[in-house]
Structure formats: C-alpha cells, structure tokens
Amino acid sequence: MYILCRTQNSHVRYVPLYILSFPLCTPKRILDAQVFFQKYRRYDEIQNIPDRLRWLRHSKGLMQREAAQLAGVSRSVYIDIECGITRRLPGHLILNLSQFYGVPVSDFLDEYNRFLFDGQAQRIRAYRKKLGMGRKPFCRHTGIPLSSLRGWEDGKKEVSFKYWEKYFKGRA
C-alpha cells in the first residue's frame, strides 16, 4: 500500500493508494479462448489431444509459453504438440501435463502414444511371439530391417508413427 500526497490551497491531503497487479490478457488471446470455448462447451466433448491441451490451457488462462514452461518443454515443442504437428508425446511430458492440469494420463494418450507409453518393446515382442516368429523370420515377413526391430525390442529406439501405423496399429 502506498500513500498519495497532494497539496492544494496550502492543505496537504493524503489518500491511500493500492497498486494491484494482474496478468494482462491481450484481446486476441481472449477472442481465441472465447471462440475455442464456443466450439467445445465441455472438456469431455474433445476427442483429440491438441484440442484437449488447448482447452486446458485456456481454462487456466495461460499462454503457450507459460504452459510449456510448467510442462518442462520448450515453447516450440509445446506449440507443435498443441497444433498437432508432433504426434509423439514423451512420457515425462505426459506425466507433467497430467499432474499440472489434474486430468488422467489417459487423456493424453491416443493409440500411438499408448503403444509407446505402455512399453513398445513388450508389445512388439508379444506380437511377434503370437505369430510364432523369431526376429529374422518376422523381419523377412514384414520387411522391417533387423537392426530397427532389435532397437525397438531392446528399448534403444522408438517406433516412428509411420512404422507403427504400417506394422503395429491394431495388431500389437
């Protein structure tokens, strides 16, 4: 609290002065949030991860920069996820977002991210064994390079979306 002092006609007047601080919200940001909330009235209506993230961010009144910082990723990574450019969400990011926004981890898991999050190595190995194949016969059958399969099953490499969609979607 501050005191404002003013002299008028040789009289000193004192007035308490309160300085409030609040984050400024740009008109564009407010408009974006309003348009988004008109599209989706409730969070549980949203089916895709990018829109879920955007809804949660808007509901907290955050900018992408602030949400990225709280999630522990760079702003560009967060923007790419929120815009749907990046399909793969790192496990630590999923856990951070889930904890920060107070929603279940499953809200950030589509079929591909669930495959990675639940353990791609075990799922690929189980699928291959269900077919009754060793590594080499499986690679000959699918056309997957042996080095890639070895890396995936040993947990040294992650399956790209392209390979997952072609070989494992709905199977493993």
Side-chain angles (χ1 to χ4, degrees), residues 41-74:
R41 297 272 184 214
R42 295 187 340 255
Y43 174 75
D44 57 359
E45 295 175 357
I46 305 170
Q47 298 300 315
N48 63 61
I49 294 169
D51 283 347
R52 284 181 181 165
L53 270 178
R54 191 172 295 116
W55 195 93
L56 290 165
R57 179 176 60 80
H58 284 310
S59 68
K60 291 235 184 221
L62 298 172
M63 292 187 291
Q64 288 174 326
R65 175 181 37 82
E66 296 164 328
Q69 187 177 23
L70 292 166
V73 294
S74 70

Side-chain angles (χ1 to χ4, degrees), residues 36 63 70 103 108 114:
F36 194 76
M63 292 187 291
L70 292 166
V103 296
F108 299 114
R114 183 174 306 283

Side-chain angles (χ1 to χ4, degrees), residues 49 52 94 105-111 113-114 117-118:
I49 294 169
R52 284 181 181 165
I94 292 170
V105 168
S106 60
D107 284 7
F108 299 114
L109 296 175
D110 56 11
E111 198 177 350
N113 284 295
R114 183 174 306 283
F117 191 77
D118 289 346

